[in-house]
Structures are given as structure tokens and as C-alpha cells.
């Protein structure tokens, strides 16, 4: 087994870990729902935290865990808490930060069999560790909290093992399941959880969340919120990889449609095909898909989005997708390009050719 310290699977590169984030911004409704259940004696044993990736679900899970562990054993006549805040100097907060609180168990992807990298899934062996935690802690009388981040990573065996624990929940235990795509979970898991839905952030909340994370945004904050779909995690990735500039370059190139500036197309393809540019290339495909999604929405609704994600985008969207018929054409194009890109990457096609194929397919659709 390797002695190398593996990266945390639930950490976004370039941003603090969710347990290190003191405030949760823009999700006051979800926090209020949980506090209401807690203070009125209707605390459910399992909670499913859902919403788009990167909007604060894991941050909320850690806030809930700190609060539940720090506010047990209070006097009956004590006023109910009005916030989930816990002083960072509180002993529980310090132990949670160090992953050393005896009442907390974190279920996430562990090392693979060789121990040299993270496993692709949460395996049943990890859930068995959770079972041991619950068994060993059952006699102390204190509250226990389990964070599953994310439940989407559970393989079939692990999901079934966790389901048994949800069906027979241990006393004074609260399970917090983070899920980006709850429709992919076992229906029986979903049915045993109360749902807390988190929503995308607006431009003002996005700016505040990035400031808290120590990330300096660039360009128009409304455009960043629009391009990241209100996800702080997506915004951090965009900023780290120069995504705002890349999207502006893509829009500028597509403004030359239907003739297309082939020299600019080649330059874009070559930049994405450079060694070490895998993440930027993946981002380019994601941004191309997003552009076509916005095209399809423009045609279907009869108007471009209210916020431009790049200069000149609104006029381009309106020109390329003037009606519902063109909307369907762009939706079909996005589906075809996505399939081609997945196949091309699976068989290791030349990256520059793959990018050019995407651009030329967009040109073909633009010509009608």
C-alpha cells in the first residue's frame, strides 16, 4: 500500500473544504426548514440534501453536523437556537475540523485496493466501517451524525447496506446524505429521507461566496453566475481554468457563422490539444454544450436569456435560434456532439480533430 496521502474526494481544487467554510451563503430557506424541524421536535433521522452541484450542499451538511453535536444536552428551559452557527473556537467545531469528533462519521470514497488512488465508488467496505462506528458509539448516549458525500457515489452493494441502516435507524443518530442527482438513488433510500433542496446562487450571493472562499472573480459577476448556473463549485472551476475567457472566445468564433473563421477555429482547437490541457479541453466541450443548450432555450422561449454570459451572446443566440424549429435542431446537435465527444475520448482520437469536429458540426447546424 502506498504511503502517499490521497486527495480528499469531496474537496474542490482551489477552494476551502466544506467543513472549513464557516458561513453558508444564499441557502437561508433550507437552514430555516431544518431549524424548524429541530426546534419543534420533528427532527427526522435521515436528510437528503439535494440541488445542483456546487451550491453548498456539503457545506450545509457540515454546518448541520456541528450544530447537532454542539447543541445536545441543553437545559429544557434554554431558548431554541435561531441559527446553525457554531463558534469556530467551540470544542466540537475544532474536533469536527480535525475529523476527530467521536460522534461524527464521514462516509465518502476511500482508497482503491492498491491504496495508490481513490476508488471510483463508495464501496460496501466503507459502509461496514459506518456500521462499526454506530455499534461502538451506541452505549455513550450522545448524539451521532453521519455525513454521506456523496450518496451518488454509492455502488449497488454499498447502497443496499446503507438502506438497511436507514430502515432501522439507531437511536439519536442523524444521517445527512448529499446528492447531486437524487433520481439516480434507490427509491427506497429517497423515501426514507426528508429532502432539503438547495437552489442556485444569484450574482450577489455568488460574489459573497467566492470572497469567503478566497477566490477573486474576474469579469462581470452576473455573467459568471449565469455561466456557472449559480454553482460556486462551477464558478471556481471556471475561474481556475480561464473559463470566462474561453466562453468569450467560443462566442466570438461562432459569431462568424455560418461561414466560420477557420483560422480562429484551428487556433482554438490547437490550444485545447496542447499537452496538459485535458481539463481545459473538457471545459471547452462543456461550454460548447452549454452554448447549444442556451440556443435551444432561446428558440423555445422566443428570446435569449436575460443575462449575457459573454459580450455579443444575446444577439448571436437570437440570430441562430429564431424559432422553435431551430431550437429542436440545436437540441439534436447538442445530443449528437455529446455522443461524438464521449466516443472520441474513449478511443483516444486526436484532441484537435475532436474539437474541430465539434465546431464544424455546429457550423452545419447553423447553415440549416
Amino acid at each position: 500500500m502506498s504511503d502517499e496521502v490521497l486527495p480528499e474526494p469531496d474537496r474542490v481544487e482551489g477552494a476551502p473544504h466544506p467543513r472549513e467554510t464557516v458561513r453558508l451563503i444564499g441557502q437561508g430557506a433550507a437552514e430555516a426548514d431544518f431549524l424548524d424541524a429541530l426546534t419543534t421536535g420533528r427532527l427526522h433521522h435521515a436528510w437528503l440534501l439535494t440541488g445542483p452541484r456546487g451550491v453548498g450542499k456539503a457545506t450545509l451538511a457540515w454546518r448541520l453536523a456541528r450544530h447537532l453535536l454542539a447543541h445536545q444536552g441543553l437545559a429544557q428551559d434554554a431558548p431554541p437556537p435561531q441559527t446553525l452557527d457554531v463558534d469556530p473556537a467551540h470544542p466540537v467545531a475544532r474536533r469536527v475540523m480535525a475529523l476527530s469528533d467521536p460522534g461524527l462519521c464521514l462516509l465518502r470514497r476511500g482508497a482503491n485496493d492498491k491504496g495508490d488512488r481513490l476508488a471510483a465508488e463508495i464501496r460496501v467496505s466503507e459502509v461496514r466501517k459506518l456500521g462499526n462506528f454506530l455499534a461502538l458509539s451506541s452505549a455513550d448516549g450522545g448524539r451521532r451524525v453521519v455525513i454521506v458525500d456523496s450518496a451518488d457515489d454509492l455502488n449497488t452493494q454499498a447502497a443496499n447496506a446503507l438502506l438497511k441502516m436507514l430502515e432501522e435507524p439507531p437511536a439519536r443518530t442523524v444521517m445527512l446524505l448529499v446528492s447531486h442527482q437524487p433520481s439516480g438513488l434507490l427509491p427506497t433510500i429517497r423515501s426514507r429521507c426528508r429532502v432539503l433542496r438547495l437552489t442556485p446562487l444569484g450574482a450577489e450571493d455568488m460574489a459573497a461566496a467566492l470572497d469567503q472562499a478566497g477566490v477573486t472573480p474576474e469579469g462581470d459577476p452576473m455573467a459568471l453566475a449565469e455561466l456557472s448556473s449559480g454553482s460556486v463549485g462551477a464558478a471556481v472551476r471556471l475561474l481556475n481554468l480561464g473559463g470566462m475567457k474561453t466562453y468569450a472566445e467560443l462566442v466570438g468564433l461562432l459569431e462568424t457563422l455560418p461561414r466560420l473563421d477557420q483560422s480562429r477555429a484551428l487556433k482554438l482547437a490547437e490550444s485545447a490539444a496542447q499537452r496538459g490541457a485535458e481539463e481545459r479541453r473538457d471545459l471547452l466541450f462543456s461550454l460548447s454544450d452549454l452554448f447549444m443548450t442556451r440556443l435551444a432555450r432561446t428558440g423555445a422561449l422566443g428570446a435569449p436569456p436575460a443575462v449575457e454570459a459573454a459580450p455579443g451572446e444575446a444577439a448571436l443566440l437570437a440570430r441562430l435560434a429564431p424559432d422553435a424549429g431551430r431550437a429542436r435542431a440545436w437540441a439534436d446537435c447538442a445530443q449528437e456532439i455529446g455522443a461524438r465527444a464521449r466516443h472520441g475520448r474513449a478511443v483516444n482520437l486526436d484532441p484537435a480533430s475532436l474539437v474541430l469536429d465539434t465546431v464544424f458540426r455546429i457550423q452545419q447546424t447553423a447553415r440549416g
Side-chain angles (χ1 to χ4, degrees), residues 41-55:
R42 295 180 291 110
L43 181 64
H44 200 64
H45 74 280
W47 295 76
L48 186 61
L49 280 54
T50 70
R53 188 182 294 272
V55 297

Side-chain angles (χ1 to χ4, degrees), residues 257-260 358-368:
L257 290 171
R259 294 186 62 182
L260 190 68
T358 296
V359 174
F360 292 149
R361 181 66 184 86
I362 292 174
Q363 180 187 29
Q364 183 182 6
T365 304
R367 286 174 171 170

Side-chain angles (χ1 to χ4, degrees), residues 72 101-103 133-144 171-172:
Q72 51 184 323
D101 193 281
F133 161 80
L134 295 174
L136 289 172
S137 304
S138 59
D140 62 11
R143 180 178 281 153
R144 290 159 295 173
R172 291 184 59 76

Side-chain angles (χ1 to χ4, degrees), residues 172-360:
R172 291 184 59 76
T173 297
V174 178
M175 304 186 74
L176 306 170
L177 282 66
V178 174
S179 177
H180 315 299
Q181 296 179 314
S183 61
L185 301 179
L186 292 175
T188 43
I189 286 182
R190 297 199 305 268
S191 67
R192 283 162 176 78
C193 299
R194 178 169 169 178
V195 176
L196 278 179
R197 290 186 176 86
L198 280 70
T199 57
L201 275 63
E204 186 175 339
D205 286 336
M206 174 71 73
L210 290 173
D211 181 67
Q212 176 179 236
V215 177
T216 303
E218 61 182 37
D220 183 354
M222 294 186 67
L224 178 60
E226 184 78 2
L227 200 56
S228 63
S229 300
S231 163
V232 179
V236 170
R237 181 169 180 258
L238 282 169
L239 293 169
N240 286 343
L241 296 175
M244 300 294 290
K245 180 181 178 181
T246 299
Y247 190 74
E249 290 173 354
L250 180 64
V251 169
L253 171 62
L254 298 181
E255 281 180 324
T256 66
L257 290 171
R259 294 186 62 182
L260 190 68
D261 186 332
Q262 295 196 8
S263 63
R264 290 178 66 175
L266 183 59
K267 182 179 179 181
L268 182 65
E270 289 176 343
S271 69
Q274 295 175 359
R275 179 170 299 188
E278 291 82 3
E279 282 190 294
R280 188 174 188 274
R281 186 163 59 250
D282 289 343
L283 178 62
L284 178 58
F285 284 119
S286 297
L287 293 175
S288 299
D289 182 72
L290 175 62
F291 178 78
M292 287 181 286
T293 298
R294 290 168 71 80
L295 273 170
R297 188 179 304 138
T298 296
L301 298 178
V307 177
E308 279 194 321
E313 184 202 37
L316 178 61
L317 294 175
R319 176 167 67 86
L320 295 179
D323 52 45
R326 299 307 297 158
R328 287 191 294 272
W330 286 113
D332 292 341
C333 179
Q335 186 174 9
E336 180 182 344
I337 286 177
R340 285 187 179 188
R342 287 190 295 272
H343 173 73
R345 283 177 283 188
V347 299
N348 293 319
L349 286 183
D350 174 62
S353 298
L354 198 55
V355 172
L356 286 174
D357 179 71
T358 296
V359 174
F360 292 149

